[in-house]
Amino acid sequence: MNKLNTYERIDTMDYLRGFALLGVLLVNSFQVMDSSNYNELHGVLYSIFNREFYPILFFLFGFGCYLFMNRSKQKINNRYLLYFRRIGFLFVLGLIHTLYAPPGITDVLMVYAVLGLFMAIFFKRSKWNNLIITISLIALSIVTAFYQPYYGERIVWLDLLSNISKWFAPMMLGFTMGQFNFFENMHGKLKYISVFLIVNICTYVSLFYIKLSIDITPAGTEMLEDYIVPFMMMSSFLIILQWDRAKMILSPLKFYGQMSLTNYLAQSALLIVFSFLIGMTPIHSLIVCFLIHAILITFSIVWLKYFKMGPVELLLRYFTYWAKVPNKKKIIKESFNEA
C-alpha cells in the first residue's frame, strides 16, 4: 500500500472544528442539566447556540469526504470500499457513543455514516451539478418548514423531509466547496467572504423585523436561522483567521480540532464524570464547559507534540486502510559542536 500520511492538513479546517467543538459542548451541557435548573439566561443561550454549531461539523465532514476521495498524492485503488469501511467504523463509534453518552445528547457520528452513504452518489458528479443539488436541498428544507402549521403539532412527514434536507445540505455544501477549491488561497477570497457575511447579517436583521411584523410559522424562521447563523459564524471566523496574530492566539483551537473525533467522544465521557462529581446546575454547567475544554485542549497539545493524530483518529485510519499507520513523530535532536 502507498503512503497513507503524505497529504497536507488544511489548518483552517482544524480551527473550524475546534471552534465548533466549543459550541457543541456548551449545548450538550445544557441538555444534560435537570430541566428544573434552567433559568432565563440559559434558556436564551441554549436557543441561540442550539443547532448552530452542528451544521459547521456537517459542512466539515462533507469537505473531509472530498479530501478523502480526491487526494492527489494518495494513489489508492478501491477508494469507495475504503470510504464505506470508514463510515462503517464511524457508525460503530456513534453507536458506542450513544450507549454511554448522558441522556439528552444526540450523537452525530451515526448521522454522518447514514448520510455519508447517500453522499457517495454525488462523488463523480460535476461541481456545478452538486451546487445545484445543494441549493435545491436548502430550498427544500426551508419550503417544507414554512408549510408547517403555525399552531399545534407539526406535520410528521414534512418535518422528517425538512430535517433530512437540512442536515444533508451542509454535507453536500462542504463536498461541493471542496470541488470549487474553496479552502485554497483563502486570503484571495477574503472580499467574497466579507460580502457573503454582510448579506447574511442583513438577511438576519430583516428576518428579525419580519417576525415582529408578520405572523409566520416559527418552523420556517427557525430553519432560516439554522442556515444564516452558522454561515455568519463560519464567515466571521474565516475572516479572523486571515490575520497571523489571530491564528497565533487561536492556535489551541487548531490542536483541539485536529483531534476532533477523539475530543468529541471525550467530551461526553467527561460530562458524565463532572455531572456525577459536582452536579449540573446552571453555573456549574458553564464551569464544567471551561474545565473540559481546558483539559482536552491541553491533552491535544501534549499528545500532538509526540504523535501525528489522536488515538481515535488513529483507530479510524487503521480500520479504513486495514493496515498499521505510523503515528509517532520523529523528534530531531540537534547537536552543536563547540568550535
Side-chain angles (χ1 to χ4, degrees), residues 29 37 54 64 142 185-186 214 256 284:
S29 68
N37 288 326
Y54 283 109
I142 294 172
N185 187 25
M186 288 296 299
I214 304 175
Y256 201 22
H284 285 169

Side-chain angles (χ1 to χ4, degrees), residues 195-213:
V195 171
F196 183 71
L197 173 60
I198 293 171
V199 169
N200 276 279
I201 292 174
C202 293
T203 305
Y204 187 76
V205 173
S206 301
L207 182 64
F208 176 77
Y209 283 104
I210 289 172
K211 288 194 297 183
L212 294 178
S213 56

Side-chain angles (χ1 to χ4, degrees), residues 86-205:
R86 181 183 184 86
I87 62 174
F89 185 68
L90 283 177
F91 186 87
V92 173
L93 284 179
L95 185 61
I96 295 171
H97 181 229
T98 302
L99 294 175
Y100 78 81
I105 292 181
T106 303
D107 175 75
V108 298
L109 299 180
M110 288 194 294
V111 182
Y112 281 173
V114 173
L115 294 181
L117 288 174
F118 294 97
M119 274 201 63
I121 301 172
F122 305 98
F123 285 165
K124 291 186 177 181
R125 295 184 178 270
S126 70
K127 58 185 179 182
W128 293 107
N129 193 337
N130 284 336
L131 181 61
I132 293 172
I133 291 170
T134 301
I135 294 173
S136 300
L137 286 169
I138 294 173
L140 177 63
S141 63
I142 294 172
V143 170
T144 50
F146 271 106
Y147 268 97
Q148 292 287 358
Y150 189 88
Y151 297 106
E153 294 184 1
R154 295 185 177 184
I155 302 172
V156 176
W157 70 270
L158 275 179
D159 202 37
L160 181 63
L161 183 59
S162 184
N163 279 302
I164 291 175
S165 304
K166 165 189 164 183
W167 294 117
F168 195 39
M171 288 176 61
M172 281 297 299
L173 181 62
F175 186 85
T176 306
M177 290 298 99
Q179 291 180 302
F180 277 94
N181 299 320
F182 177 72
F183 281 105
E184 294 181 13
N185 187 25
M186 288 296 299
H187 191 74
K189 299 182 178 73
L190 188 58
K191 178 176 66 175
Y192 304 104
I193 297 172
S194 301
V195 171
F196 183 71
L197 173 60
I198 293 171
V199 169
N200 276 279
I201 292 174
C202 293
T203 305
Y204 187 76
V205 173

Side-chain angles (χ1 to χ4, degrees), residues 3-4 6-7 68 71-76 79 321:
K3 295 179 180 179
L4 304 179
T6 56
Y7 66 93
F68 181 82
R71 285 170 186 154
S72 59
K73 295 181 180 179
Q74 192 172 303
K75 306 297 183 182
I76 298 176
R79 291 190 183 183
Y321 298 102

